[in-house]
Amino acid sequence: MKDNHVLSTGYNGAPRGVSHCEEKGCLRVLMNVPSGTRHELCRGVHAEQNAVTQAAYFGVSVKGAKIYTTTFPCSLCAKILINSGITEIVYDEGYMDDLSKDILSEADLKIRHVDEKSE
């Protein structure tokens, strides 16, 4: 969101034209991978990643924008959000990813839980 306008939306799911794990089976479940780890073992693309790539696909800059997410971004999403120029992350639920918290604490982004008042 920028200047009170939605720039892009994203969803959690498999890339365009690729079978979802519900159809192929979830490798993370089969390997008993704990939540918040080994993100590379997922067929899905996170909503934050999809929102940034959809904006890029349609030539929309997200530089200086705010992103609203259901959960605190994972480390992969955090790096993408930082490099895309997003300036604020507003999230609803926490997520166990200490690397993400560490990376985002070093970046110049405002991070706010949805219950906190906007400044």
Side-chain angles (χ1 to χ4, degrees), residues 5-82:
H5 293 280
V6 174
L7 302 176
S8 182
T9 60
Y11 60 92
N12 291 323
R16 199 178 284 133
V18 175
S19 300
H20 194 277
C21 61
E22 290 176 350
E23 300 165 332
K24 300 279 282 190
C26 180
L27 183 59
R28 294 175 58 81
V29 170
L30 293 172
M31 294 178 68
N32 200 27
V33 176
S35 181
T37 65
R38 305 290 315 270
H39 302 289
E40 75 279 6
L41 295 176
C42 182
R43 294 181 71 79
V45 179
H46 289 176
E48 300 93 328
Q49 296 166 345
N50 266 323
V52 170
T53 57
Q54 286 297 310
Y57 186 86
F58 290 107
V60 176
S61 173
V62 295
K63 182 178 180 183
K66 177 187 308 186
I67 189 167
Y68 289 86
T69 65
T70 303
T71 56
F72 191 88
C74 72
S75 57
L76 296 176
C77 289
K79 292 182 278 187
I80 290 169
L81 296 176
I82 292 166

Side-chain angles (χ1 to χ4, degrees), residues 48 52 62-64 67 73-89 99-111:
E48 300 93 328
V52 170
V62 295
K63 182 178 180 183
I67 189 167
C74 72
S75 57
L76 296 176
C77 289
K79 292 182 278 187
I80 290 169
L81 296 176
I82 292 166
N83 279 357
S84 71
I86 296 282
T87 57
E88 183 175 357
I89 298 169
L99 179 58
S100 176
K101 291 175 187 172
D102 186 48
I103 290 169
L104 287 169
S105 72
E106 290 184 42
D108 190 24
L109 274 81
K110 181 176 180 181
I111 301 170

